[in-house]
């Protein structure tokens, strides 16, 4: 048997494998790949066969690959053969990502073949980074709490003695100096109290509240303080569940986030606040690290401003971290919000892209009857099963973890699934096929065609194809920026039943 024979066993093995598999000859030329490998690297199967495996490696590794192969074939030394190691892969869009590679050798009819089995480590690395961030924030919180506690003791002594001096001193000049010192000490006391909030050591006055009403009060205060170039809009759910929250801290959090949003839109714009009931199941936990399954109230505050880079998002909630010029911010606003949310048993998520704006979502545990809601959720799932039976969907998503999760979700609804990792690649698929019924695309995509640009082109040139857009940005911000063009929008994160309902509404419209 030749290594390039169409072996039914080999083909079945490749198709059944969950991990990526690549079979190459002695020179590294690709003979076979499975669908998992094509999805992992962002190519079609046909585009990979016949190419050299170097195309799947970053330049530093690719330049040494031929030397590794030649050394092994000449000496028989097994540097990587038969053992696994963590390396980096190169996707079709130029992004480098972590993966675990195991290589095996087969000698068939005098010919040498290599089989590479690859497992994407992006999710594990993301989880490790999220855990490290959480541990770093906890460590910073413990240190900050200890420092704030000691400073509070010192400031108590300083303020007390200054007040005694102020009562005893009759000199006008000395009185002015004492008054200035007292004012500075009180500013220091206010700073330490805010640090205590971040450290989750402040005392919360949590009560069962109507979150909509409390946010409305914050909006009223915001309208009196925010610049005239900023408009504040709200979209409150009518059937919002109840939660046990410190109302004052909630209003402070809203003001902090909204004022940051104002700073991100120096030329003006809209701030949108919306509330929703959220049932977070295991599919959500797969996307969002650090929150338990359950029932939550989500408060989203969104702007269409400058947005954040990945590095800024990572550090945004650290105390004293600020992108503003010196003297224009303490860097404690989001830190206080973070401490308040965590102390309330909730979660904070930041979704932002440079130039596209920011949506910050606060999740508070709901007090409503979880058993009844979970029963309703099961009923909804049963109602929407197989909604996509017989239909083919083109899934467009550049994040590999979200791509795999979304593909699984779509298949569970009965859809036949075709994938693309960019708007440009999706358009090529659409031009080459005539069996696509619906396009399901993320909004922010690499390449020339964003998700929205792709949707517009499909609507114009292929009007028979249905289009559903998904994004982590607030739906109100998307519509406020006129980026939807009348397309249906599903906001991330979403449950399986939300996905099914979105498609049902799309097909019935």
């Amino acid at each position: 048997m030749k290594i390039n024979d169409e072996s039914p066993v080999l083909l079945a093995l490749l198709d059944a494998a969950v991990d990526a598999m690549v079979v190459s000859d002695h020179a590294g030329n690709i003979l076979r790949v499975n669908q998992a490998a094509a999805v992992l690297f962002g190519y079609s199967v046909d585009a990979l066969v016949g190419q050299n495996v170097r195309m799947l490696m970053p330049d530093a590794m690719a330049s040494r690959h031929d030397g590794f192969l030649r050394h092994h074939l000449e000496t028989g030394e097994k540097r990587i053969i038969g053992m696994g190691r963590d390396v980096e892969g190169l996707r079709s869009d130029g992004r480098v990502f972590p993966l675990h590679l195991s290589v095996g050798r087969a000698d068939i009819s005098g010919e040498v073949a290599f089989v590479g089995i690859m497992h994407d480590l992006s999710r594990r690395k993301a989880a490790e980074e999220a855990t490290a961030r959480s541990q770093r924030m906890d460590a910073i919180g413990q240190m900050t709490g200890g420092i704030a506690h000691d400073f509070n003791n010192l400031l108590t002594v300083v303020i007390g003695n200054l007040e005694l001096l102020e009562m005893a001193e009759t000199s006008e000049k000395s009185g002015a100096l004492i008054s200035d010192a007292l004012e500075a000490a009180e500013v220091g006391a206010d700073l330490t109290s805010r640090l205590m909030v971040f450290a989750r050591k402040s005392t919360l006055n949590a009560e069962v509240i109507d979150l909509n009403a409390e946010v409305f009060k914050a909006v009223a205060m915001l309208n009196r303080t925010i610049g005239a170039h900023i408009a504040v809009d709200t979209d409150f759910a009518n059937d919002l569940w109840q939660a046990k929250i410190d109302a004052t801290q909630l209003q402070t959090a809203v003001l902090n986030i909204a004022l940051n949003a104002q700073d991100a839109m120096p030329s003006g714009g809209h701030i949108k606040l919306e509330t929703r009931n959220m049932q977070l199941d295991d599919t959500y936990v797969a996307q969002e690290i650090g929150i338990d399954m359950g029932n939550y109230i989500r408060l989203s505050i969104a702007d269409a401003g400058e947005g954040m880079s990945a590095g800024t998002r990572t550090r945004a909630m650290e105390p004293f971290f600020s992108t503003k010029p010196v003297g224009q911010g303490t860097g404690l606003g989001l830190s206080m919000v973070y401490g308040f949310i965590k102390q309330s048993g909730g979660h904070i998520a930041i979704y932002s892209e440079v130039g596209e704006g920011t949506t910050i979502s606060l999740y508070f545990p709901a007090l409503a009857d979880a058993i009844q809601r979970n029963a309703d959720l099961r009923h909804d799932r049963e109602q929407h099963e197989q909604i996509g039976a017989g239909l083919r969907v083109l899934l467009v998503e550049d994040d590999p973890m979200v791509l795999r999760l979304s593909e699984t979700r779509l298949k569970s609804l009965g859809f036949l699934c075709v994938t693309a990792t960019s708007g440009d690649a999706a358009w090529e698929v659409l031009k080459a096929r005539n069996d696509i019924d619906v396009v399901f695309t993320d909004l922010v995509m690499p390449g020339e065609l964003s998700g929205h640009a792709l949707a517009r082109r499909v609507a114009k040139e292929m009007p028979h194809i249905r289009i559903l857009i998904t994004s982590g940005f607030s739906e109100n911000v998307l519509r406020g920026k006129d980026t939807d063009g009348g397309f249906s929008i599903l906001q991330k994160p979403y449950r399986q039943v939300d996905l099914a309902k979105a498609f049902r509404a799309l097909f019935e419209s």
Side-chain angles (χ1 to χ4, degrees), residues 20 36-43 48 56 89-93 97 99 118:
V39 172
L40 179 62
F41 289 98
Y43 294 95
L48 288 173
L56 307 179
L90 179 67
R91 290 197 170 92
S92 60
D93 58 9
F97 68 102
L99 58 81
M118 289 156 284

Side-chain angles (χ1 to χ4, degrees), residues 90-108:
L90 179 67
R91 290 197 170 92
S92 60
D93 58 9
R95 288 183 301 161
V96 175
F97 68 102
L99 58 81
H100 184 79
L101 170 65
S102 301
V103 180
R105 171 176 170 166
D107 293 273
I108 305 173

Side-chain angles (χ1 to χ4, degrees), residues 306-335:
E306 299 167 350
M308 303 182 194
S309 65
T312 299
R313 287 197 306 271
T314 300
R315 300 192 58 196
M317 289 175 285
E318 292 182 7
F320 302 114
F321 175 78
S322 177
T323 57
K324 298 175 184 177
V326 176
Q328 294 188 20
T330 63
L332 285 175
L334 281 181
S335 300

Side-chain angles (χ1 to χ4, degrees), residues 345-398:
H347 180 69
I348 180 170
I350 300 178
Y351 189 92
S352 186
E353 299 280 351
V354 174
E356 296 290 341
T358 299
T359 295
I360 296 180
S361 294
L362 311 181
Y363 294 84
F364 298 96
L367 296 180
D369 182 3
I371 296 176
Q372 180 58 45
R373 286 199 305 277
N374 288 337
D376 293 342
L377 179 60
R378 286 193 298 272
H379 173 73
D380 285 344
R381 284 175 175 166
E382 293 169 0
Q383 181 183 0
H384 295 291
E385 281 183 356
Q386 297 304 304
I387 189 175
L391 298 175
R392 194 176 303 275
V393 60
L394 173 58
L395 169 62
V396 192
E397 173 60 63
D398 63 315

Side-chain angles (χ1 to χ4, degrees), residues 27-48:
N29 298 314
I30 298 173
L31 304 173
R32 296 284 184 272
V33 296
N34 63 354
Q35 184 61 33
V39 172
L40 179 62
F41 289 98
Y43 294 95
S44 67
V45 170
D46 292 339
L48 288 173

Side-chain angles (χ1 to χ4, degrees), residues 136-312:
R136 185 174 71 248
M137 294 292 279
D138 287 342
I140 293 173
Q142 291 177 10
M143 180 187 69
T144 303
I147 293 173
H149 177 271
D150 290 345
F151 265 97
N152 274 336
N153 287 339
L154 293 172
L155 288 169
T156 298
V157 175
V158 170
I159 291 173
N161 281 291
L162 285 171
E163 287 178 333
L164 291 174
L165 278 174
E166 188 177 42
M167 289 187 290
E169 183 59 54
T170 58
S171 168
E172 183 176 337
K173 183 177 181 180
S174 298
L177 294 174
I178 293 171
S179 178
D180 289 345
L182 267 174
E183 185 176 342
E186 287 167 356
V187 170
D190 177 65
L191 178 63
T192 55
S193 69
R194 287 189 279 166
L195 288 173
M196 292 294 273
V197 172
F198 166 74
R200 293 176 249 174
K201 296 183 181 295
S202 62
T203 301
L204 294 182
N205 183 25
E207 297 177 338
V208 178
I209 66 167
D210 179 346
L211 188 137
N212 282 342
E214 298 304 329
V215 174
F216 184 80
K217 293 177 184 177
V219 171
M221 288 187 284
L222 190 62
N223 282 327
R224 291 193 294 267
T225 58
I226 206 161
H229 63 301
I230 302 294
V232 181
D233 300 323
T234 59
D235 181 11
F236 294 158
N238 294 325
D239 57 346
L240 202 65
W241 300 325
Q242 289 184 317
K244 196 171 184 179
I245 305 172
D246 186 317
T248 302
Q249 292 286 357
L250 172 65
Q251 293 173 16
T252 301
V254 171
L255 291 172
N256 271 321
I257 297 172
L259 291 174
N260 280 344
Q262 174 184 235
D263 293 338
M265 298 184 291
S267 300
H270 285 73
I271 297 174
K272 308 293 178 89
L273 296 92
E274 66 178 30
T275 58
R276 293 289 185 272
N277 295 325
M278 296 291 296
Q279 294 171 313
L280 306 184
D281 55 17
D282 55 345
T283 55
Y284 174 84
V285 176
Q287 299 178 70
E288 196 71 46
I289 304 298
I291 187 170
D292 295 329
M293 290 182 288
N295 304 288
Y296 293 83
I297 300 169
R298 184 184 70 196
L299 166 62
S300 295
I301 304 171
D303 66 69
E306 299 167 350
M308 303 182 194
S309 65
T312 299

